[in-house]
Amino acid sequence: NAGVTQTPKFQVLKTGQSMTLQCAQDMNHEYMSWYRQDPGMGLRLIHYSVGAGITDQGEVPNGYNVSRSTTEDFPLRLLSAAPSQTSVYFCASSYGLAGGPGEQFFGPGTRLTVL
Amino acid sequence: AQSVAQPEDQVNVAEGNPLTVKCTYSVSGNPYLFWYVQYPNRGLQFLLKYITGDNLVKGSYGFEAEFNKSQTSFHLKKPSALVSDSALYFCAVSPRNSGGYQKVTFGIGTKLQVIP
């Protein structure tokens, strides 16, 4: 199993550009999430999905869009990049655990710089 | 709202000595609690979790954590530190409610430095 894969690993954007960060998992997990990691702030939840066709906002959703058309894929779209979106982005997947999250499996991350 | 506090930005310990990385939490009702480790330029890896039952939870790589409900703490411990344990450690909490997705809140992380 490849686990959770993310592409690209690195990306540099100019302010106002748009792009999509790709995430895929091959573990048939129902839950998938996107986090951003910033120094001194830990991981913050951007968006999450509890299954194909179902998504919801996390703690810091502004400027980001998601969709989940299949169980495997959960892309994150930056609509109009801003320097404040410079960060490391992690995708994670997990199975449910009696109504709550099981342990999450994380991708290797995408390091995004917005100039 | 749920929250996690990791009061130490960095913990230094000599190789072979016991280590403790502290975590306290705030959540409505009973919690799910997790520890994750992040090695440089890598994603997070799961170490252990507390769901219910025994307050002492054993996990990967010889780590364990003790759930203390009265102190709302979930400290990570290891009897004998290795240089290879040097990494960034995250504590996380989720409320244990029935049904539906429960958001996980992470602490800001504690850098563990094991000195040879």
Side-chain angles (χ1 to χ4, degrees), chain B residues 63-74:
Chain B
F63 284 93
E64 57 189 27
E66 186 168 12
F67 171 63
N68 187 317
K69 187 172 183 177
S70 63
Q71 297 186 4
T72 61
S73 66
F74 190 57

Side-chain angles (χ1 to χ4, degrees), chain A:
Chain A
N1 287 350
V4 179
T5 58
Q6 290 182 239
T7 56
K9 290 188 177 180
F10 302 94
Q11 184 69 50
V12 179
L13 292 177
K14 295 181 179 179
T15 297
Q17 288 184 316
S18 63
M19 79 159 295
T20 298
L21 280 62
Q22 300 292 343
C23 174
Q25 55 96 3
D26 61 359
M27 296 171 282
N28 203 32
H29 286 163
E30 56 186 318
Y31 297 158
M32 296 188 74
S33 307
W34 275 102
Y35 294 90
R36 58 179 289 174
Q37 182 179 19
D38 301 291
M41 304 193 74
L43 272 76
R44 292 181 292 169
L45 182 65
I46 304 171
H47 284 287
Y48 65 95
S49 169
V50 300
I54 307 171
T55 64
D56 205 347
Q57 296 181 351
E59 182 184 355
V60 288
N62 292 342
Y64 306 96
N65 211 347
V66 293
S67 61
R68 187 142 177 227
S69 56
T70 67
T71 299
E72 294 79 18
D73 300 301
F74 191 43
L76 177 72
R77 297 181 187 84
L78 277 70
L79 308 173
S80 177
S84 61
Q85 294 179 303
T86 294
S87 187
V88 181
Y89 292 84
F90 289 101
C91 179
S93 72
S94 66
Y95 54 86
L97 179 69
E103 58 260 39
Q104 295 187 76
F105 293 78
F106 284 81
T110 295
R111 187 173 295 273
L112 175 68
T113 301
V114 182
L115 302 175

